[in-house]
Amino acid sequence: MQQLLGGASRSEFESSLATGKTTATTGLKEAEDYMAQAQDDIAQAESAIAALGQKIQSTEQALEQAKADGNEQAVAEYTKTLNGLKTDLAKEEKAKAAAEAGLSKAQAGKDQATAALAKIAQGEAGLKRLDAARKKLDDGQAQVDSGRKELKANSSKLSAAKTQLAGAKKQLDQAKSEIDANKAKLAQGQAELDAGRAQLNAGQKEFDQKKAEFLKGKADLAKAKEKLEAGEKTIKEKTAELEQAEKDVEKGQKDLEAAHAELQFAARQVGANSDMRFVSEDQSTAVSQVSFKIQTDALTPADREQIKAIAAGPQANGVEVLFSKEIMQDMSQVFGSSEIIGVVIAAIVLVVMLGTLIAAGLPLLLALLGVGAGVGTTMAFSSLIDMASITPALALMLGLAVGIDYALFIIHRHRTQLLAGMDVGESIARSVGTSGNAVVFAGLTVIIALAALAVPGLPFLTVLGLSAAFTVFCSVLLNITLLPALLSLAGGRLVSKRARRKAAALAENPVIKEPFSARWVRMVTKVAVPVTLLVVIVLGAIALPATQMRTALPDGGAEPADSQAFQAFEQTSDKFGAGYNGPLLVLADLPENLTKRQAESKALDVADKLRGYDGVVAAIPVALTDNHRLSAIQVIPTDGPSSEQTEALVHQLREDYSEFSEATGADIAVTGQVAAQIDVSEKVTAALVPYLSIVVGLSLILLLLVFRSIVVPLLATGGFLLSLAAAFGASVMVYQFGWFSGFFDVNVPGPLLSFLPILLTGILFGLAMDYQVFLVSAMRERYAHGEPAKDAVRSGFSMAAPVVTAAALIMISVFAGFVFSHLAMIRPLGFALAFGVLFDAFIIRMTLIPAVMHLLGDKAWYLPKWLDRILPDVDVEGSKLNELLDSEESASDDDYDQDYTKENATV
């Protein structure tokens, strides 16, 4: 038994078996738990590895896209993210391998614990067999003891007992054999137990080793779990980063596409601006355009000075700053030095004509008062009504001319009557009743002609005409109201003592001395046919250039050569091109519901098409409305604002309206200052024919009423048209062709002032009718008093020619003063009026009219009887008034003679 138990006690052996069984059972459970944990860890690692694989794949795709797009920053970020993901993948794979190794070790430990438990079970089974054998041995010993007792107690039965003993011995031997067999089995069981214990010890040792490995693997697994969790956290973070990166990539892609679109749009904009220069190629000149919130004509002198003051800083550093005419012109000063010279010449003519400073001063005073009233009223309304800058200057020019002339007609008549011995009061009354009546008629003609400037329907031209008409009205009103009062105050001082002595001497000793006017008319009528042909040929030749007349509003090239405006114009043309002085503005009406970028792109489409036209240097969009419906595109033409090429370009763009609509979907309209000037010029030119028809028709009707003749109005109107054409031709020669440009200070020849033709027509018509009335009415008066028609032409001309000559010289002097005006716009108008008066007064009225009327004789006064009956009798010169006064005077003289005879008879 002790051999079976290996020298240990049974309790120790059983305790060892129980301890080994408990240890093996615990090791088996721990191994199974570790295997379950390892399997979970392996599953988590495999899941993390699969997720990292997908992220690595998507990151690699994004990296390839970034490389294809050439986005270096995105490539760096994706490379860094990819390396981090690969590092995490390696960690996860390592953790999975560690978990798999731990699982294998746990499986081995489980197998060893199972084997140990099996051996312990075998030990327990051997112990049970040993207990059974021992029980049998104890039972046999008890039987021996019982036999011995029976042997002692029953010796008689010894034999039987001996027999039984033999049987017992046999049984004992059998038991002994069994015991020996059991002992062998016990020894075998002991050996097996010892082997099992050895195996158990070895298993325990191996188990302890595996347990240590397991614990180490568990610790490693815990660390791997921590790493796995950290990796999982990193994976989640990287996943979030990757998702954000994907969003960033998507956003970056969109931004890249938007940036690409922006780049393309910017390239289009750069292309549109490529031909637009603000600095000259030689880097010597820069140009800047200034836009005002109000019209440039509305800028006050203070505003202009403030703008000019800006140049003080650059000028101090040696930079030359030049301003255009829109900034430099100042309409607040309408009277310059050249205009004063013209008035001085008119004053000299008045002194020579009238003989005294008082007589010469009265027309000047009346003209200044009339101009003050008319121009002052015009300037007062300038803040309420938009008007052209030329408006006050034109009113000034006409007011001076007609104011002086109208006063001259009345004063000359009054002075002549005073020298003839008439009382001052009666002379004033007769002068106002005769010459004053003619002044009213002449003034009314001019007023009607100026007011008719409203016919074209242009507001600025209407205001211009009404302003000048009001100034003429003021002059007429002053001449028939204030002038008589002033003449009454002047009394006899109006005529010098020398003139009175000369008149008295001539009355006492008449000396027949033919005046120059009589000699002139005699010469003209003597060779009437050659004179008529010569006048028609000469004026016709002068009028020929009018067939090539072009009109436009003046630009900086019309300014004086020493002015900043002219220098700025010329330098801009030289350094940048003439078109920079007059850009066009194209307004594009875009389709509805466009975004800002779409509208800007559509405007660039229009600009691209505009640049395709010949004569266009650059076309760039400059403004877009808030609702994206209208875009303003600035177009720089090749040529200047008043050139024919620019005008043709404007017309071509307007004609191609439908092409723009089809190609771009936008409707265009050409506007801007240059286009507006072209429109104004064309509208005024188109209105010239109907306006001229009105003026000619009015001329025929008025002259028919005044002269009661059909031929005289036709002759007067024909002469007016001839002088008008000659004035147009002379203006074209000087201002458009550039002939005599040096003398008349014309720097750059160009088109005439757009409204010069219609203004010249209206003003010259009124003045021509004045001269016609004063000259021909004297001829009619002589003819009515019974003189032959041809003699009446000579005598009437001799009587009226001096005052008409003086009036024409005064007109020419005043208008010529404006030829060199500080206002460039008024210069060609002053020239045209001065030469128009020259042609009409001296060549038509004083040469052609007397010659033709002398040729016609009585036929010049032909009027059908039926027309004579229905026409009202208009006594322009007051001849009927003179007849009435003369008849009353004769009647009073007859009454006086009768009373004197009665008194003598009584005495």
Side-chain angles (χ1 to χ4, degrees):
M1 186 72 175
Q2 293 296 325
Q3 286 178 343
L4 290 173
L5 296 176
S9 64
R10 181 181 180 88
S11 61
E12 289 176 353
F13 186 75
E14 290 177 347
S15 176
S16 177
L17 286 175
T19 302
K21 185 177 182 179
T22 302
T23 301
T25 303
T26 303
L28 181 61
K29 187 177 184 305
E30 288 178 352
E32 290 176 346
D33 291 341
Y34 182 80
M35 288 176 66
Q37 181 65 42
Q39 289 173 350
D40 291 340
D41 293 341
I42 289 170
Q44 291 179 0
E46 288 176 346
S47 176
I49 288 169
L52 286 171
Q54 293 178 354
K55 292 180 180 178
I56 288 172
Q57 184 178 2
S58 62
T59 304
E60 286 176 343
Q61 292 176 353
L63 178 61
E64 293 300 323
Q65 182 64 38
K67 287 180 178 179
D69 295 339
N71 190 340
E72 297 296 336
Q73 184 178 358
V75 169
E77 290 179 357
Y78 291 146
T79 302
K80 182 178 179 182
T81 302
L82 185 60
N83 292 334
L85 291 174
K86 288 183 177 180
T87 301
D88 294 339
L89 180 61
K91 291 180 181 179
E92 292 299 330
E93 290 176 344
K94 186 176 180 182
K96 179 184 176 183
E100 289 176 345
L103 180 62
S104 299
K105 292 179 180 179
Q107 183 65 44
K110 179 181 177 183
D111 294 340
Q112 292 174 356
T114 303
L117 286 174
K119 291 180 179 180
I120 290 170
Q122 290 177 359
E124 288 177 343
L127 190 59
K128 288 180 180 179
R129 287 195 302 272
L130 184 61
D131 288 340
R134 184 177 180 181
K135 184 178 179 183
K136 288 181 180 181
L137 186 61
D138 288 342
D139 289 342
Q141 186 66 38
Q143 289 177 1
V144 171
D145 290 341
S146 177
R148 284 177 178 177
K149 287 179 179 181
E150 289 181 357
L151 181 62
K152 288 176 178 182
N154 197 2
S155 58
S156 61
K157 295 180 178 179
L158 182 57
S159 296
K162 189 175 180 179
T163 303
Q164 292 178 353
L165 179 61
K169 185 178 179 182
K170 185 178 180 180
Q171 291 179 354
L172 181 61
D173 290 336
Q174 290 178 350
K176 186 177 180 181
S177 298
E178 291 179 3
I179 289 171
D180 291 337
N182 290 333
K183 186 176 179 182
K185 291 181 179 178
L186 184 61
Q188 184 181 358
Q190 182 67 36
E192 290 177 358
L193 183 60
D194 290 341
R197 179 179 289 175
Q199 289 180 355
L200 182 62
N201 290 334
Q204 182 68 37
K205 184 178 179 182
E206 187 177 358
F207 178 76
D208 291 340
Q209 183 180 355
K210 296 298 182 181
K211 183 178 180 181
E213 291 178 359
F214 175 76
L215 293 174
K216 183 177 180 300
K218 187 177 181 180
D220 292 340
L221 188 61
K223 291 181 180 179
K225 185 178 180 181
E226 290 178 358
K227 290 182 179 180
L228 187 63
E229 291 175 351
E232 187 177 6
K233 182 179 179 182
T234 303
I235 288 172
K236 290 180 179 179
E237 292 176 354
K238 295 299 181 182
T239 301
E241 291 179 1
L242 186 60
E243 291 175 354
Q244 183 62 39
E246 290 175 351
K247 294 179 180 178
D248 291 341
V249 168
E250 185 178 356
K251 182 177 182 297
Q253 186 69 24
K254 292 180 180 179
D255 292 343
L256 186 62
E257 292 174 357
H260 185 64
E262 285 287 339
L263 186 62
Q264 290 181 335
F265 183 75
R268 290 193 67 190
Q269 286 184 319
V270 171
N273 297 334
S274 59
D275 296 324
M276 189 73 177
R277 291 183 293 112
F278 295 96
V279 178
S280 62
E281 293 180 353
D282 60 3
Q283 307 295 314
S284 65
T285 307
V287 64
S288 177
Q289 295 180 350
V290 181
S291 298
F292 297 101
K293 295 181 179 179
I294 58 176
Q295 294 182 358
T296 53
D297 291 342
L299 292 174
T300 64
D303 294 334
R304 298 179 190 275
E305 290 301 323
Q306 188 176 1
I307 295 170
K308 296 174 189 176
I310 298 174
Q315 285 174 341
N317 297 322
V319 178
E320 182 183 14
V321 181
L322 301 172
F323 295 96
S324 65
K325 76 179 186 69
E326 288 78 11
I327 296 176
M328 293 302 300
Q329 68 180 6
D330 184 5
M331 298 309 301
S332 60
Q333 182 182 359
V334 296
F335 207 73
S337 58
S338 60
E339 291 88 337
I340 294 175
I341 294 174
V343 174
V344 169
I345 295 174
I348 294 173
V349 173
L350 287 172
V351 171
V352 172
M353 181 71 185
L354 300 177
T356 63
L357 293 177
I358 295 177
L362 286 178
L364 293 174
L365 176 62
L366 266 294
L368 292 176
L369 290 176
V371 165
V375 176
T377 303
T378 300
M379 298 296 285
F381 279 96
S382 62
S383 60
L384 302 176
I385 302 173
D386 292 335
M387 60 180 63
S389 57
I390 196 177
T391 301
L394 178 64
L396 170 67
M397 182 169 61
L398 285 179
L400 283 175
V402 300
I404 294 173
D405 271 11
Y406 292 166
L408 173 62
F409 289 137
I410 296 176
I411 293 173
H412 176 71
R413 183 69 175 254
H414 174 56
R415 182 175 178 274
T416 302
Q417 292 171 167
L418 288 179
L419 290 174
M422 190 176 293
D423 291 337
V424 173
E426 182 180 353
S427 177
I428 293 173
R430 282 180 177 255
S431 298
V432 174
T434 54
S435 295
N437 194 22
V439 164
V440 171
F441 173 80
L444 182 61
T445 305
V446 176
I447 290 171
I448 292 174
L450 291 172
L453 290 174
V455 170
L458 294 173
F460 84 93
L461 195 59
T462 301
V463 173
L464 189 148
L466 293 178
S467 172
F470 178 74
T471 304
V472 173
F473 171 76
C474 292
S475 297
V476 172
L477 190 63
L478 288 173
N479 275 283
I480 61 176
T481 55
L482 180 61
L483 182 58
L486 294 177
L487 292 176
S488 178
L489 291 175
R493 291 173 295 175
L494 198 69
V495 180
S496 64
K497 294 180 180 178
R498 181 171 174 272
R500 289 182 182 275
R501 289 195 299 270
K502 184 177 179 180
L506 288 174
E508 292 179 2
N509 300 305
V511 176
I512 300 175
K513 183 180 180 182
E514 190 175 35
F516 175 78
S517 58
R519 296 196 299 273
W520 173 260
V521 72
R522 188 176 69 253
M523 181 192 69
V524 167
T525 54
K526 187 175 181 180
V527 287
V529 173
V531 166
T532 301
L533 294 176
L534 180 64
V535 168
V536 173
I537 292 172
V538 170
L539 291 185
I542 297 174
L544 280 177
T547 57
Q548 303 180 45
M549 181 175 64
R550 290 183 57 245
T551 60
L553 290 176
D555 50 33
E559 298 294 320
D562 58 347
S563 67
Q564 281 197 38
F566 177 77
Q567 295 174 22
F569 182 88
E570 285 295 296
Q571 193 145 341
T572 301
S573 299
D574 294 340
K575 299 295 184 179
F576 298 94
Y580 277 78
N581 283 308
L584 303 174
L585 192 66
V586 173
L587 194 64
D589 187 359
L590 307 177
E592 296 181 354
N593 302 322
L594 294 181
T595 63
K596 183 179 180 181
R597 181 48 46 84
Q598 289 173 337
E600 291 174 343
S601 179
K602 190 70 70 175
L604 283 174
D605 293 340
V606 177
D608 291 342
K609 188 169 179 60
L610 286 170
R611 284 193 297 277
Y613 280 81
D614 294 335
V616 173
V617 174
I620 55 173
V622 294
L624 181 68
T625 57
D626 294 336
N627 62 357
H628 309 153
R629 286 301 311 278
L630 295 176
S631 176
I633 303 170
Q634 189 179 59
V635 178
I636 305 297
T638 305
D639 300 284
S642 58
S643 68
E644 294 183 52
Q645 292 80 3
T646 301
E647 183 177 348
L649 175 63
V650 171
H651 290 307
Q652 185 178 2
L653 291 177
R654 288 173 173 171
E655 290 173 359
D656 295 346
Y657 170 90
S658 58
E659 293 184 12
F660 279 88
S661 181
E662 294 173 0
T664 66
D667 298 330
I668 68 164
V670 184
T671 182
Q673 184 175 0
V674 174
Q677 291 175 357
I678 293 173
D679 293 340
V680 168
S681 298
E682 292 179 349
K683 190 167 185 179
V684 172
T685 302
L688 181 61
V689 174
Y691 178 76
L692 188 60
S693 301
I694 294 174
V695 169
V696 169
L698 179 65
S699 169
L700 292 173
I701 294 173
L702 291 177
L703 294 177
L704 183 64
L705 292 174
V706 172
F707 299 114
R708 306 188 72 77
S709 167
I710 293 179
V711 177
V712 171
L714 293 174
L715 184 60
T717 303
F720 159 69
L721 294 176
L722 189 57
S723 62
L724 179 66
F728 285 155
S731 300
V732 170
M733 282 190 286
V734 173
Y735 288 94
Q736 186 172 324
F737 294 168
W739 300 353
F740 311 106
S741 57
F743 179 79
F744 291 102
D745 195 19
V746 179
N747 300 316
V748 180
L752 298 182
L753 184 65
S754 58
F755 43 86
L756 182 147
I758 198 167
L759 281 178
L760 180 62
T761 300
I763 297 170
L764 190 60
F765 164 73
L767 300 179
M769 295 307 102
D770 290 351
Y771 304 140
Q772 181 76 9
V773 167
F774 285 115
L775 278 172
V776 180
S777 60
M779 300 177 189
R780 176 172 175 76
E781 183 179 355
R782 295 291 183 178
Y783 178 73
H785 281 79
E787 287 189 17
K790 294 186 178 183
D791 293 341
V793 169
R794 293 179 176 178
S795 60
F797 181 89
S798 299
M799 181 177 65
V803 67
V804 172
T805 300
L809 289 175
I810 291 171
M811 281 277 188
I812 294 171
S813 300
V814 173
F815 291 149
F818 286 86
V819 174
F820 304 96
S821 172
H822 65 294
L823 303 176
M825 189 180 294
I826 203 72
R827 289 184 173 191
L829 186 58
F831 174 89
L833 286 172
F835 277 83
V837 170
L838 175 67
F839 295 148
D840 193 84
F842 293 105
I843 298 179
I844 297 296
R845 308 303 158 190
M846 295 188 186
T847 305
L848 180 64
I849 295 296
V852 175
M853 291 189 68
H854 186 269
L855 288 174
L856 294 174
D858 292 331
K859 296 178 182 179
W861 304 105
Y862 170 74
L863 181 69
K865 294 182 179 180
W866 63 268
L867 187 58
D868 184 48
R869 288 193 300 268
I870 62 175
L871 286 178
D873 191 2
V874 180
D875 185 17
V876 174
E877 275 295 315
S879 56
K880 292 187 176 180
L881 175 62
N882 285 329
E883 293 176 0
L884 177 62
L885 293 175
D886 290 340
S887 63
E888 290 179 353
E889 185 177 351
S890 298
S892 61
D893 290 342
D894 292 341
D895 292 340
Y896 174 77
D897 292 338
Q898 291 177 2
D899 293 338
Y900 180 77
T901 303
K902 291 179 180 179
E903 289 177 0
N904 289 338
T906 303
V907 173

